[in-house]
């Protein structure tokens, strides 16, 4: 039985979460403040955290940073739609995903299951990726199309794919990608990243104008949805 810690100061939302998650056979623990969040997380060692960004004694981002300093546990942010900048900061602080409030129960449950399924912080990156009908061998730096034809990817394109593959299914922010692939000196240069993603889609997506695998998260970053 998986245990989930919800960090949320609104008692109504907490009780909705409790009813929903307990009905799905999760064990539910809760914290109403940033301070309690770290204490409960250390005490219970939950399998996943849900973190509201607006807390009375600090923000959710400080909770994420604190927990992330000692645990690789999956963290999903609950954020209002108006908190765009905080959402990015939360992802950069180490959150793995977010669900916008008001959330739909099926969406929240799907995100939770995805996060629990994947060993998201494992150092292991899948070595072979399937994107549409293309297969990409990341370790050998080879890519092939459906008929076995070679697809040429540049070293930068391989590195972007590697970075996305390490967080497969989850959002990687633009800053994370630029920092890892181009280096901290190029932070803010999102144009190179956009061009790179466009080229990757043209080479790998079955329909580059309607990407099914290299997904844009508007204003945040990108998400790899492998086959
Ligand atoms: Ca709140």
């Amino acid at each position: 039985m998986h245990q989930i810690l919800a960090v949320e100061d609104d008692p109504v939302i907490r009780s909705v979460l409790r009813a929903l998650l307990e009905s799905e056979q999760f064990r539910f623990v809760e914290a109403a403040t940033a301070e309690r969040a770290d204490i409960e997380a250390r005490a219970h060692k939950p399998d996943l955290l849900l973190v509201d960004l607006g807390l009375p004694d600090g923000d959710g981002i400080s909770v994420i940073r604190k927990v992330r300093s000692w645990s690789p546990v999956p963290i999903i942010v609950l954020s209002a739609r108006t908190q765009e900048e905080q959402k990015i900061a939360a992802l950069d602080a180490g959150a793995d995903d977010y669900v916008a409030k008001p959330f739909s129960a099926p969406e929240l449950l799907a995100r939770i299951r995805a996060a629990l399924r994947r060993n998201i912080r494992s150092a292991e990156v899948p070595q072979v990726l399937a994107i549409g009908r293309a297969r990409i061998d990341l370790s050998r730096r080879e890519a092939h199309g459906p008929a076995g034809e070679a697809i040429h990817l540049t070293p930068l394109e391989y590195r972007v794919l590697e970075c996305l593959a390490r967080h497969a299914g989850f959002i990687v922010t633009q800053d994370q990608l630029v920092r890892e692939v181009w280096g901290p000196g190029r932070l803010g240069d999102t144009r190179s990243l956009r061009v790179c993603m466009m080229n990757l889609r043209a080479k790998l997506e079955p329909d580059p104008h309607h990407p099914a695998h290299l997904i844009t998260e508007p204003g945040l970053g990108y998400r790899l949805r492998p086959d």
Side-chain angles (χ1 to χ4, degrees):
M1 210 184 209
H2 288 297
Q3 180 171 253
I4 296 178
L5 169 61
V7 183
E8 165 68 67
D9 60 317
D10 183 333
V12 175
I13 297 179
R14 278 206 310 277
S15 64
V16 168
L17 286 171
R18 174 181 290 279
L20 174 67
L21 295 175
E22 286 184 345
S23 76
E24 296 290 320
Q25 311 303 319
F26 291 110
R27 269 166 56 211
F28 185 84
V29 280
E30 57 185 45
T33 62
E35 195 194 348
R36 287 305 301 174
D38 199 55
I39 295 168
E40 299 295 337
R42 286 176 190 273
H44 294 284
K45 304 279 188 301
D47 300 293
L48 183 141
L49 262 73
L50 294 174
V51 178
D52 173 35
L53 288 184
L55 296 168
D57 61 332
D59 59 24
I61 293 162
S62 63
V63 172
I64 294 164
R65 278 209 193 93
K66 236 190 227 163
V67 171
R68 201 39 98 229
S69 69
W70 58 269
S71 170
V73 61
I75 299 175
I76 297 177
V77 162
L78 299 174
S79 76
R81 285 186 197 283
T82 50
Q83 294 172 309
E84 281 303 315
E85 274 174 33
Q86 275 178 290
K87 229 153 49 183
I88 298 176
L91 292 164
D92 277 333
D96 299 289
D97 209 345
Y98 79 94
V99 175
K101 286 199 272 191
F103 51 82
S104 84
E107 188 195 355
L108 180 64
L109 291 170
R111 294 286 169 86
I112 289 174
R113 292 208 183 90
L116 291 171
R117 226 176 8 245
R118 286 195 192 88
N119 191 2
I120 54 175
R121 299 269 152 186
S122 75
E124 270 180 42
V125 183
Q127 288 311 301
V128 179
L129 275 182
I131 293 183
R133 293 163 72 199
R135 290 181 72 76
I136 303 113
D137 188 326
L138 292 172
S139 56
R140 303 171 80 170
R141 294 275 203 261
E142 285 174 4
H144 293 94
E149 74 279 16
I151 300 173
H152 175 73
L153 301 180
T154 67
L156 277 176
E157 288 164 357
Y158 274 110
R159 282 163 63 191
V160 167
L161 279 180
E162 255 166 18
C163 186
L164 290 170
R166 227 176 7 255
H167 307 272
F170 296 96
I171 299 173
V172 185
T173 64
Q174 296 183 0
D175 276 1
Q176 265 174 288
L177 277 162
V178 171
R179 192 182 297 118
E180 277 198 40
V181 176
W182 282 268
R186 292 280 290 279
L187 272 183
D189 180 3
T190 52
R191 192 180 168 275
S192 306
L193 175 60
R194 277 204 310 277
V195 171
C196 190
M197 291 302 296
M198 203 175 71
N199 292 337
L200 278 172
R201 283 178 181 143
K203 292 175 186 184
L204 301 174
E205 286 277 3
D207 178 358
H209 295 293
H210 301 95
H213 305 280
L214 298 161
I215 310 294
T216 298
E217 291 285 341
L220 297 174
Y222 299 93
R223 188 195 295 268
L224 174 67
R225 201 180 287 154
D227 281 341

